[in-house]
Amino acid sequence: MKILPALLLLLPLTAHAEWGQFDFEFENDKPWVELSTQLPPPPKAENLLEFNVSSATRNKYFVDTASISVGGDKVVRYSVVIEAAGGAKNVSLEGMRCATGERRLYANGQPDGSWSKARNAQWEGIKFRSLLSYHKALYEDHFCPGGINIQDASEAVRSLRRAVR
């Protein structure tokens, strides 16, 4: 009989724990919804930070630090500049989902500083086995270390700056 009052005192705690689990499961059952993407200004040389992809390429890879953002949808958005050994430059606006290991091309930069919408703007898996995948380097080393989403742009910039040293 003495145990009954003690058990009754624990009942609200058990109910609260169950309700908390319900909230967690409910949130995880919601379908993911991508937020709209805002086009940033064209990259400026003073905002570009180089990052390493592989010694197997002569290309140089840069992220425009002013363009990095982490949305409420957990997508890391950024502009990347690729400078080929021959001098040609490619500029693109991209997004990365750490939770799924995917990336998306939103727009391509034009020589006049404008953006053109990408033709194939679907989410694609990152090629983790390729030595030349700059997406793999950004995912593993800067935007999704250990598969965990960075919290904000400043965290990404700190990671890129540490790698430059």
Side-chain angles (χ1 to χ4, degrees):
M1 225 24 176
K2 291 181 183 180
I3 257 179
L4 185 59
L7 289 175
L8 289 174
L9 287 174
L10 292 176
L11 188 60
L13 295 175
T14 306
H16 178 70
E18 286 298 318
W19 188 256
Q21 182 65 25
F22 172 78
D23 284 345
F24 176 76
E25 289 172 2
F26 180 74
E27 289 297 317
N28 283 341
D29 286 344
K30 286 183 181 178
W32 176 78
V33 177
E34 183 175 10
L35 300 177
S36 64
T37 301
Q38 302 297 319
L39 295 174
K44 293 181 180 177
E46 62 266 19
N47 295 330
L48 298 180
L49 279 179
E50 188 172 4
F51 65 97
N52 184 44
V53 172
S54 169
S55 59
T57 181
R58 292 180 29 213
N59 292 345
K60 292 184 177 184
Y61 300 85
F62 304 89
V63 171
D64 175 17
T65 58
S67 71
I68 301 172
S69 68
V70 181
D73 55 4
K74 301 293 187 202
V75 173
V76 181
R77 292 178 179 85
Y78 56 94
S79 297
V80 67
V81 177
I82 303 170
E83 197 175 286
K89 287 185 182 178
N90 288 315
V91 178
S92 58
L93 176 64
E94 304 182 6
M96 186 172 291
R97 289 185 67 198
C98 297
T100 59
E102 294 176 299
R103 60 129 190 130
R104 180 178 180 184
L105 174 65
Y106 292 108
N108 294 300
Q110 301 301 309
D112 66 359
S114 65
W115 294 99
S116 64
K117 186 176 179 181
R119 290 185 190 149
N120 185 13
Q122 302 301 316
W123 287 99
E124 298 178 12
I126 294 171
K127 295 179 175 113
F128 289 106
R129 292 184 173 209
S130 172
L131 286 175
L132 302 179
S133 173
Y134 68 90
H135 302 107
K136 172 186 183 277
L138 288 172
Y139 180 95
E140 292 178 346
D141 300 335
H142 305 294
F143 297 159
C144 313
I148 299 170
N149 225 101
I150 57 170
Q151 297 300 307
D152 53 34
S154 63
E155 186 177 345
V157 172
R158 282 192 306 274
S159 175
L160 288 161
R161 284 199 172 119
R162 274 194 305 268
V164 170
R165 295 180 195 167

